[in-house]
Amino acid sequence: MKLPILALSVPLGIMLSPESLVRLGNLAGGGSFSHLLLALAALVAALGAGLILHPGLSSRGEGATLLLSRELGSVPAATLLLSSRISVTLLAATAVLVTAGYAFNEIFLYWFPNFGFAFLLLFLVLAANLAGERWALRLQVLAALLALSCLCILLFLGVLAEGAPLEAQSPINPSPHLALGAVLLFLGYDLVSPAENGPSRGAVLVLLGLVLLLFSCWAGISAHFVAWSSLADSTIPHILAAKRMLGQPGRYLIGTVVICGAVAMVNGLFIATTRTWLALSAQQLVPRFFQGRNQGRFYCLLSALVIGVLMMSGLAGEEELELYLRGALLLWLLKLGAHSLAASRHLRGSHAGVFASGMVVSCLFFGIVFGLLFTDPNRVQLTGFILLTLAGTAGFSWSWQQVVKRYL
Amino acid sequence: MKRLVLLMMFGLLISAVSGLAGDDLRIDKDGLKAMLGSPELVVLDVRTGRDWSSSEFKIKGAVRAAARDFATWSQTHTPDQTLVLYCA
């Protein structure tokens, strides 16, 4: 846990997920405007990270949970943490594992069933997490660094390769929804190791800077090889770009990025959600089913079981999954806004200047949530999903606290 | 006994019909390749969600048509057209 890469591999894994590659590729269709959007999104993330990881805040194991419950109340704290972590873990895992299954089937082994591979990856992540956080972090570093290395190799070889000249074209202005969604490319910095030896705020800001550089280079090189309109409209812009850059070797490299990125995202979310459950149960905000390490194992097993059922039910083949996933990501942004608000309130006494800037940052997050919700084509269903999830988790945490007060 | 024989014959009839139907309704990739470009041919991609969005392989000119919306899109084609549906 002493090396920052161990803790930084969790946010890095989230940022290099197949979801990010698709969003980034679509943004790249906007030409030079996409670089400006990426820079603004990274700035928002840096402001959020600067506040959430402020040295004046407790960085111990239960830091975020304690901070949120002290500043906002225990039920809102448990509601925000549970709804954002659980929904993203279950829905994003279902989505990216199926995507990785397709990548393996279409790029590497055509005869191997895509769903079989998705389940193999789920089993790998579950096995690592059942073995303990140490093994889960090792898998996280391996998957995140493999994804990063392959993307960097692709970039390097792409710079050397000569692309076929593209026809005269004009960039496609990204929709307001896509432009605002650039913020989602830098999610995950709030999942860094909360241990005492966790990385400093500076290390996280450096990571955000490096990811911005990587994303900008990838957007630039993608636009050099693929027409802007194709990038903006494609559901697999990263695969298109890699294929045009290097042909079959490019497909192999991007296939590895997709599979490793999916493992890194799912594994990172498992690690983060288990930590959240443990922190919440330590404060009696959620039930504790087992003692010691078995408690974390139980949550991992339960999550994997639900993800397996969701995959078996064919949710990945339904359009609704995308809607639910967008809702889950909005809940995550909502949690970041509340987290920033709690951090700025906590620092009000000791760091007077932080309070005002913290309020601006949290308003920025809430504004982005509202903007993404308003510009979504299915805003009514999306709002319904978010409200239902919030109401469900609030009801659960409130009921549990009544049980604790009366009987425990 | 008579009932059993009748039941077996009915079963054989059903399987023969379904076998014939299977022969008529399936097309392999070479068969489709030979038909591509024909004005009567309509290729319908009935994959939805990630099944469609994560896949790199999409037949050029294929029209997306979700199976659940069959009642809607089936009305837009004429009987003289050849519809080829693919889901994987």
Side-chain angles (χ1 to χ4, degrees), chain A residues 7 12 22 89 91 98 105 114 117 127-128 130-131 137 170 173 194 237 243 252 317 335 342 351 357 384 392 398:
Chain A
L12 183 63
V22 175
T89 302
L91 297 166
V98 170
N105 171 267
N114 48 350
F117 189 73
L130 289 180
L137 279 171
S170 53
N173 278 338
K243 200 167 145 183
Y252 288 143
K335 180 247 155 198
H351 302 75
S357 58
W398 181 82

Side-chain angles (χ1 to χ4, degrees), chain A residues 19 95 99 102 106 235-236 239 243 251 316-320 322 325, chain B residues 47-58 64 66 68 87-88:
Chain A
E19 297 303 297
T99 298
Y102 272 102
E106 293 188 350
T235 54
I236 44 161
I239 299 180
K243 200 167 145 183
R251 287 180 77 233
E318 300 292 334
E319 303 293 348
E320 282 79 8
E322 308 306 323
L325 187 53
Chain B
R47 295 175 297 176
T48 52
R50 296 260 156 172
D51 292 346
W52 178 79
S53 64
S54 297
S55 177
E56 192 187 344
F57 300 133
K58 285 152 191 160
R64 288 193 72 195
R68 68 164 77 160
C87 61

Side-chain angles (χ1 to χ4, degrees), chain B residues 27-49:
Chain B
I27 187 169
D28 61 10
K29 63 176 179 182
D30 294 324
L32 179 61
K33 244 183 193 175
M35 289 170 72
L36 284 176
S38 159
E40 285 84 34
L41 176 73
V42 180
V43 182
L44 298 167
D45 188 339
V46 293
R47 295 175 297 176
T48 52

Side-chain angles (χ1 to χ4, degrees), chain A residues 5-302:
Chain A
I5 187 64
L6 274 178
L8 293 179
S9 63
V10 175
L12 183 63
I14 309 284
M15 291 174 203
L16 294 179
S17 70
E19 297 303 297
S20 294
L21 294 175
V22 175
R23 190 166 283 118
L24 177 62
N26 292 153
L27 261 181
S32 51
F33 187 48
S34 63
H35 298 286
L36 177 69
L37 286 174
L38 283 171
L40 286 173
L43 180 68
V44 172
L47 288 171
L51 197 63
I52 287 169
L53 304 169
H54 194 280
L57 298 168
S58 164
S59 62
R60 289 183 188 168
E62 294 158 15
T65 316
L66 272 174
L67 180 72
L68 282 166
S69 57
R70 271 185 201 154
E71 298 298 330
L72 306 175
S74 53
V75 172
T79 303
L80 284 166
L81 284 165
L82 282 178
S83 60
S84 59
R85 291 273 195 274
I86 294 174
S87 60
V88 169
T89 302
L90 300 180
L91 297 166
T94 305
V96 298
L97 286 174
V98 170
T99 298
Y102 272 102
F104 185 75
N105 171 267
E106 293 188 350
I107 296 173
F108 295 102
L109 281 181
Y110 190 64
W111 54 266
F112 201 93
N114 48 350
F115 261 91
F117 189 73
F119 273 100
L120 272 180
L121 292 185
L122 178 63
F123 184 75
L124 172 74
V125 170
L126 176 65
N129 280 272
L130 289 180
E133 194 176 282
R134 210 172 142 194
W135 284 98
L137 279 171
R138 282 178 184 173
L139 175 66
Q140 186 65 20
V141 172
L142 183 73
L145 287 185
L146 256 174
L148 180 67
S149 310
C150 288
L151 202 58
C152 289
I153 292 170
L154 254 173
L155 264 177
F156 179 69
L157 295 177
V159 170
L160 297 180
E162 280 183 29
L166 296 171
E167 289 174 13
Q169 50 170 346
S170 53
I172 307 297
N173 278 338
S175 64
H177 190 75
L178 185 63
L180 280 171
V183 176
L184 301 171
L185 287 168
F186 297 93
L187 281 181
Y189 53 84
D190 56 327
L191 304 182
V192 290
S193 171
E196 280 184 77
N197 292 334
S200 65
R201 182 170 59 164
V204 176
L205 294 177
V206 168
L207 175 79
L208 286 171
L210 290 175
V211 170
L212 170 65
L213 184 68
L214 180 75
F215 282 176
S216 281
C217 291
W218 181 253
I221 205 89
S222 295
H224 183 66
F225 284 89
V226 184
W228 281 319
S229 57
S230 303
L231 283 173
D233 293 339
S234 178
T235 54
I236 44 161
H238 49 295
I239 299 180
L240 280 184
K243 200 167 145 183
R244 296 267 170 85
M245 272 179 218
L246 301 171
Q248 193 61 13
R251 287 180 77 233
Y252 288 143
L253 280 168
I254 200 71
T256 312
V257 176
V258 168
I259 292 166
C260 292
V263 170
M265 183 185 207
V266 178
N267 192 54
L269 288 170
F270 264 58
I271 294 170
T273 306
T274 305
R275 283 174 181 164
T276 302
W277 266 104
L278 293 177
L280 286 169
S281 67
Q283 290 179 57
Q284 295 192 316
L285 297 178
V286 292
R288 183 191 298 230
F289 297 105
F290 292 93
Q291 295 298 319
R293 285 182 180 180
N294 285 337
Q295 208 190 150
R297 287 182 179 134
F298 172 74
Y299 299 134
C300 289
L301 202 61
L302 196 65

